[in-house]
Amino acid sequence: MKTSKLGSVGDVSRLTLGGGGIGQIWGPTGRDETVATLRAAVEAGIDLIDTAPTYFNCEAVVGETFEGAPPAHLKFTTKCVLGSPPPGEAAARLEASLDATLAAMRLKRVDVFFLHSSIAPDDYAYAHGDARRDEFSTRWSIYADEVVPAFERLVAQGRIGAWGITGIGVPRSILAALARDPAPAVVQVITNLLDSAGGIRRFAEPANPRAILAAALARGVGVMGIRAVQAGALTRAFDRPVSPNHPDAKDFERAAPYRALCAAWGEDPAIIAHRYALGLPGVDTLVLGVKNRDELNQALAAEAAGPLDAGQLAQIEQLGLRT
């Protein structure tokens, strides 16, 4: 397993095991299989485990698997969907979320603590779900005035090694967060060949992940690539029921020429999608949503094969699939 420097966090494996799969939110899997997948990932050289309370069972799986004594070289992340709480409450809510996570994973600290909410200007109106914006989105003033100072205190206290943001919010706000001081140590960025955030994009304007990726690279902020297969849209078939009207289903339809190209190459589209994402400049580690050892082995094969060659990249881009 190759490694890369994830900003101030230091060297990490090029693949990260994401908690969504082992938390059992991406298609059916059993508890024994998720534990076996976690152990197999570590044995294969993956040394960064990305978790969140919203990933159902993943934090408990980590705690039960390692029983409070994980291998010393492993690093862990967690997140908090803070939203926009009343003034003065952000720090307490972040600390409460961290307390619950550390208890579930049986750890004394995590290496990165992410703001898992979107970030948007205070007066922003979302195209989808704006009535619930304070549940899923953190207003800029709260981020700047309360969230960043709270994260900095947790770093100073030694409870977290660094802090980061999930860069799926309104693009101009994410770019502003990367430009200001202090900047996050790590940002999670959409990295797929569609440039699509699918069902997690609530704003009308383009997600613009390439600009976010470039800004992070220029600033020296570590990048964790996410949604390499766009929630299944870049695989042979979904692993769960998806409404035909869902944005992820629309992406699946749009990606039909891509699957045809992979078939012509005799390649699995999921493996090619992972290789594409790993080859994007600035991506330090790619978060996997795998839920079993078969899917893990596919991702390991993609990492071992390395980035796509120039000819393959050109053929993919000629399909004109990017949003």
Side-chain angles (χ1 to χ4, degrees):
M1 176 71 61
K2 292 179 284 294
T3 62
S4 184
K5 185 178 180 182
L6 184 65
S8 64
V9 178
D11 290 342
V12 299
S13 52
R14 288 283 282 151
L15 298 179
T16 292
L17 185 66
I22 62 173
Q24 299 172 277
I25 67 171
W26 292 119
T29 189
R31 189 64 161 254
D32 289 346
E33 182 60 27
T34 61
V35 170
T37 301
L38 174 56
R39 291 192 181 280
V42 173
E43 290 170 3
I46 292 176
D47 58 17
L48 183 59
I49 314 298
D50 181 58
T51 76
T54 51
Y55 299 161
F56 294 143
N57 298 319
C58 77
E59 293 185 336
V61 167
V62 169
E64 292 169 11
T65 300
F66 299 121
E67 298 180 328
H73 71 285
L74 292 188
K75 295 181 173 68
F76 296 90
T77 81
T78 191
K79 308 179 184 74
C80 177
V81 181
L82 177 69
S84 292
E89 292 188 13
R93 294 194 184 191
L94 288 169
E95 290 180 22
S97 178
L98 179 61
D99 288 343
T101 283
L102 294 176
M105 293 206 290
R106 308 182 196 181
L107 299 175
K108 294 182 179 179
R109 70 188 290 277
V110 292
D111 294 276
V112 189
F113 190 17
F114 285 95
L115 175 67
H116 206 28
S117 311
S118 297
I119 306 173
D122 284 21
D123 59 354
Y124 190 80
Y126 282 91
H128 306 287
D130 190 63
R132 297 176 48 247
R133 65 162 291 167
D134 285 351
E135 297 176 26
F136 63 80
S137 177
T138 299
R139 297 175 189 267
W140 177 261
S141 61
I142 296 174
Y143 170 78
D145 298 340
E146 297 189 45
V147 172
V148 173
F151 277 149
E152 291 287 306
R153 285 194 296 274
L154 290 170
V155 171
Q157 293 165 3
R159 302 194 66 203
I160 65 175
W163 61 272
I165 60 174
T166 302
I168 61 169
V170 176
R172 64 179 181 267
S173 293
I174 301 303
L175 292 170
L178 294 173
R180 77 187 297 273
D181 289 315
V186 184
V187 59
Q188 293 193 323
V189 183
I190 300 293
T191 48
N192 60 57
L193 59 90
L194 300 173
D195 276 3
S196 175
I200 60 174
R201 180 171 69 91
R202 296 177 178 269
F203 45 84
E205 56 261 52
N208 211 6
R210 308 263 171 157
I212 294 170
L213 186 59
L217 180 61
R219 189 73 200 273
V221 174
V223 172
M224 296 175 71
I226 60 174
R227 294 178 85 90
V229 295
Q230 207 325 71
L234 295 173
T235 66
R236 289 194 175 113
F238 284 113
D239 58 1
R240 63 201 185 281
V242 179
S243 166
N245 296 320
H246 194 281
D248 295 343
K250 298 295 185 183
D251 278 349
F252 186 85
E253 293 177 10
R254 185 157 57 94
Y258 165 72
R259 287 190 295 278
L261 179 62
C262 290
W265 290 345
E267 296 278 5
D268 187 308
I271 292 179
I272 296 298
H274 280 96
R275 292 179 64 192
Y276 181 98
L278 282 165
L280 289 173
V283 175
D284 299 309
T285 185
L286 189 64
V287 181
L288 307 179
V290 301
K291 61 183 176 294
N292 55 48
R293 284 168 287 181
D294 287 342
E295 293 176 353
L296 172 65
N297 288 334
Q298 280 189 323
L300 293 172
E303 192 277 332
L308 301 173
D309 63 42
Q312 290 174 305
L313 282 174
Q315 289 185 67
I316 289 174
E317 299 299 354
Q318 286 167 6
L319 297 174
L321 298 179
R322 282 204 261 153
T323 54

